[in-house]
Amino acid sequence: MKKLLLSLTYTVLTLSCVATEKPQLNTTKPNLSTSSYGYWQQHVSYTMEIDMDVDTYQYEGKQKLVYTNNSPDILTRVYYHLYFNAFQPGSEMDVRSRTIRDPSPKIADRISKLQPDEIGYIKVKSLKQNGRVISHETVGTVLEVKLDQPIQPGESVTFDMDFDAQVPVQIRRSGRNNEEGVALSMTQWYPKLAEYDDEGWHADPYIAREFHGVWGDFDVKLTIDKDYVVGGTGYVQSETNTKKGKKTIHFKAPNVHDFTWAADPDFIHDTFEMPNGPKLHFYYKKTLEPQYLENWKKLQPDTAKLMTYFSEAIGEYPYDQYSVIQGGDGGMEYAMCTLITGQRNYGSLLGVTAHEMAHTWFQFLLATNEAKHEWMDEGFTSYISTLAENELSSNKSDNPLSYTYRGYLALANSGYEQPLTTHADRYRYNQVYGAAAYNKGAVFIAQLGYVIGEENLKKTIKKYFNDFAFKHPKPMDFIRTAERVTDFELDWYLIDFAQTTNTIDYGVKSVEGNTITLERIGLMPMPIDLSVTYKDGTTEDFYIPLQMMRGEKPTSATIINDWAWAMPTYTFNAGKAIKSVEIDSSQLMADVRRENNTFTVE
């Protein structure tokens, strides 16, 4: 395998958040009228009672789930995710990690070595539909359920389940006793109903990547050792002491598509008040070394600045709290919070917080299917978090995304690239997945600014959030939003950059006197920004619109005739003797071979 120089900051986060009082939620329900005609999405309400034994890492659960079928289809089956079953020898996650050419070091062969008291599991003991026992079968990380009665369009049904579970040793995202000593990182820990949409069921096995969930409400009562400090996705309704040295914490989390919690007896819990904004919560171990404790204090006002940046650049954060919690195996986003490892230098701590917080918008509010459209999740997040970090930096870069572009260009020139339509679990190499999801996904949105203009991109992002928050948008929803903002035709951009591995390669073929000839070498079409320096020392910028785009971005450059994609060359007269020519001096077009973008007359 060629060495891929993939400039990838691979951050994967995990957890949740808590408030010590019950604030008023300003979250709104989806405005379905703003989406395409006929849009619908399912709804679920969870009520759970959980009893955790912190000595054995086992817990018992009772779950009542009210599922509303908003689809036009009759459902004869449903499916639940049992994510903890991945952490067993012989699971798909285990085998895939031991057979892929470049396994994640976080997993490697660790699952295969787990002992019975170290594995994870969720065992369903009983399941009823509207009070009647129904048949079910556990198949790896998925519970297959044959319904007693089909669920009709518009009907709501109630499922009652009893289950037992065990928290695995910390390996990937979830688990107990991570490398920094956090006791419980409880992500993807409960039987979670799979999503059903206009493409059918999404009962994906848990192999490596991330998630897709049904929008709904959670009411969770967690009973745990009274000495543990707990952060969770929802708002705390009450906390009461119970028998045998335990306490019960009651959470409610409205209008989210997951629920996560973390717990440790040594957590410090700080809060930071934002003017006219959510309350920020920070959970981190008091046993950290002094420099790391100082970093967690320093992080708090900077997290407020990040929150402000994202709310202004994308759309207002709709919940009343957000938490940053130490735990997990790196960094992972969840509803209303994130879980990150905490023993980092400050730059790393701020960077991972910025990335995972940005996921609140590009995944937990704009809830794309991460298995199918991972680049909209990771790429859009990488784009906006990079800009946010640059904004907070005292040494700002004129092109903060240059590192990201280099990562994509390395991938595009490697011979190993797969299209962004590849299912997240089915990339040939982990490195290829990382460069595609993070780097190429970020370049997709950044380069769109080159195509339609930066101001139009800013408007597109805000309209996209306004129209699709609390829904499950797809790639076409984003590109159609850009079309509505600009009145351009942009399907070609989505097709070539996201659905193929076609590359951009434009070059200066020749310069003779006043005449410039450009050539298209790669298959992907693009409009062209061209900078010309004349022999008299003056300069002029030209803009060559792409004919199939049916429009022109706002520009101060001299606009000349359209370039039709099928024409391999384009020639025009600049009017004066030319000294040098450069295609895309901004370097915001992801041209895979920049050496032919410039030409100097000798």
Side-chain angles (χ1 to χ4, degrees), residues 96-109 429-430:
R96 176 62 170 163
S97 181
R98 289 188 285 112
T99 54
I100 195 170
R101 287 277 298 274
D102 60 335
S104 166
K106 295 178 179 179
I107 306 174
D109 63 349
Y429 299 102
N430 278 321

Side-chain angles (χ1 to χ4, degrees), residues 382-568:
S382 296
Y383 164 79
I384 203 71
S385 63
T386 298
L387 297 185
E389 287 184 76
N390 191 57
E391 184 67 22
L392 266 63
S393 174
S394 59
N395 185 23
K396 292 182 175 59
S397 169
D398 293 334
N399 188 3
L401 292 157
S402 60
Y403 188 71
T404 301
Y405 272 74
R406 288 197 298 272
Y408 161 66
L409 295 175
L411 172 67
N413 290 312
S414 71
Y416 290 96
E417 184 182 6
Q418 294 173 249
L420 293 180
T421 52
T422 304
H423 188 284
D425 279 319
R426 292 192 273 284
Y427 280 85
R428 193 168 292 110
Y429 299 102
N430 278 321
Q431 285 188 82
V432 172
Y433 161 81
Y438 290 74
N439 295 93
K440 189 174 183 181
V443 170
F444 178 94
I445 189 171
Q447 184 176 243
L448 184 61
Y450 168 86
V451 172
I452 67 175
E454 289 297 327
E455 288 304 313
N456 279 333
L457 176 60
K458 291 176 182 178
K459 293 176 184 177
T460 296
I461 291 171
K462 290 182 177 181
K463 181 171 175 54
Y464 177 57
F465 178 82
N466 184 65
D467 288 354
F468 291 99
F470 299 104
K471 300 176 190 171
H472 295 296
K474 301 177 184 180
M476 185 55 73
D477 294 317
F478 180 75
I479 212 68
R480 288 289 289 132
T481 301
E483 289 183 332
R484 293 184 181 101
V485 167
T486 62
D487 202 27
F488 298 162
E489 183 175 339
L490 297 168
D491 58 338
W492 59 271
Y493 184 71
L494 177 64
I495 290 168
D496 276 67
F497 206 69
Q499 298 175 6
T500 76
T501 55
N502 290 347
T503 56
I504 303 164
D505 185 6
Y506 283 85
V508 183
K509 187 174 185 179
S510 65
V511 176
E512 297 179 2
N514 302 346
T515 301
I516 300 169
T517 298
L518 308 179
E519 61 179 335
R520 176 187 54 76
I521 303 161
L523 284 172
M524 180 165 174
M526 288 291 281
I528 298 298
D529 289 349
L530 191 71
S531 300
V532 176
T533 300
Y534 297 110
K535 287 190 174 180
D536 64 7
T538 61
T539 62
E540 186 173 8
D541 293 330
F542 292 91
Y543 173 62
I544 307 173
L546 177 67
Q547 189 177 87
M548 68 175 67
M549 186 168 143
R550 312 299 174 194
E552 302 158 358
K553 71 176 177 181
T555 179
S556 60
T558 301
I559 302 174
I560 52 180
N561 292 335
D562 294 354
W563 188 346
W565 171 82
M567 308 304 179

